[in-house]
Amino acid sequence: ALLDLSGVHQVKGTWMGSATLPCTYTPSEGFTQETLSWSMERDYSTSTVFLRDDSGDHVLLSRFRDRVSVPKHSPGDASLLIENLEIPDSGHYTCQVIWRSKNNSLITKELTTIVKVVKVAVTKPVIRAGKLGLTVPAGARTSLTCVASGSPPISYRWFRSSPGRKAQLLSSQAELAWDSLRLSDAGMYYCEAENR
């Protein structure tokens, strides 16, 4: 099993989610990884998605730029992470590693994984209502967390509303936190959740 690539036959990913295509080997003394590439075959044409050689990492297909990566500091791990999956990302992906041995001969191994990107039923965010009327002592630490179900990615915003004034945006995170509550923090707060 010297310098054999191991992975899986098929990976299912969800649209807009991320997927890891495993491709690993046990580093072996006397062999150095010369190049590592990931190519993709779809509709009978093959193109290189990712290439790592002595000049660094290169993403060769522009539609994958900023969406694919391979672990940098774990020898033997050539797995490909694809983020923000799109439906056209479905296809056959081949991991190819070329090693150079001490006597300068080259060894090439390949491993192919089928990727299927599925669309889940797209749903609007639904916020689970929290307890109304929260009483907290002044000076205490507390936080409000907004939880919504629905299709990812979901973004959150917290507002404070005062009668007759424009609602004030307090946070663009799911959590709104106070280190030390003041009496002036009393009031009405609400959360907004949004997805595509």
Side-chain angles (χ1 to χ4, degrees), residues 43-64:
D43 308 329
Y44 306 108
S45 73
T46 303
S47 20
T48 303
V49 174
F50 177 94
L51 173 68
R52 173 175 289 167
D53 57 16
D54 51 14
S55 70
D57 289 2
H58 313 280
V59 177
L60 302 173
L61 276 187
S62 58
R63 66 184 191 84
F64 282 107

Side-chain angles (χ1 to χ4, degrees), residues 68-88:
V68 296
S69 57
V70 171
K72 265 200 166 58
H73 305 294
S74 30
D77 190 354
S79 307
L80 183 72
L81 169 68
I82 309 176
E83 297 176 275
N84 294 330
L85 286 163
E86 299 287 356
I87 300 297

Side-chain angles (χ1 to χ4, degrees), residues 10 12 18 34-35 41 58-59 71 79 92 127 134 161 174 180:
Q10 190 179 329
K12 261 196 173 143
S18 61
E34 185 91 346
T35 59
E41 186 199 342
H58 313 280
V59 177
S79 307
H92 289 69
I127 298 177
L134 196 62
S161 63
S180 173

Side-chain angles (χ1 to χ4, degrees), residues 126-165:
V126 177
I127 298 177
R128 206 173 62 221
K131 290 197 284 289
L132 290 170
L134 196 62
T135 309
V136 189
R141 291 181 68 128
T142 192
S143 65
L144 296 173
T145 304
C146 194
V147 181
S149 58
S151 307
I154 297 178
S155 61
Y156 295 95
R157 295 193 301 174
W158 274 103
F159 294 91
R160 179 178 186 173
S161 63
S162 317
R165 298 231 322 266

Side-chain angles (χ1 to χ4, degrees), residues 7 9 28 31 34 50 77 88 93 100-101 105-106 157 169 174:
H9 179 59
S28 179
F31 293 92
E34 185 91 346
F50 177 94
D77 190 354
Y93 288 76
R100 186 178 288 280
S101 70
S105 60
L106 296 176
R157 295 193 301 174
L169 174 65

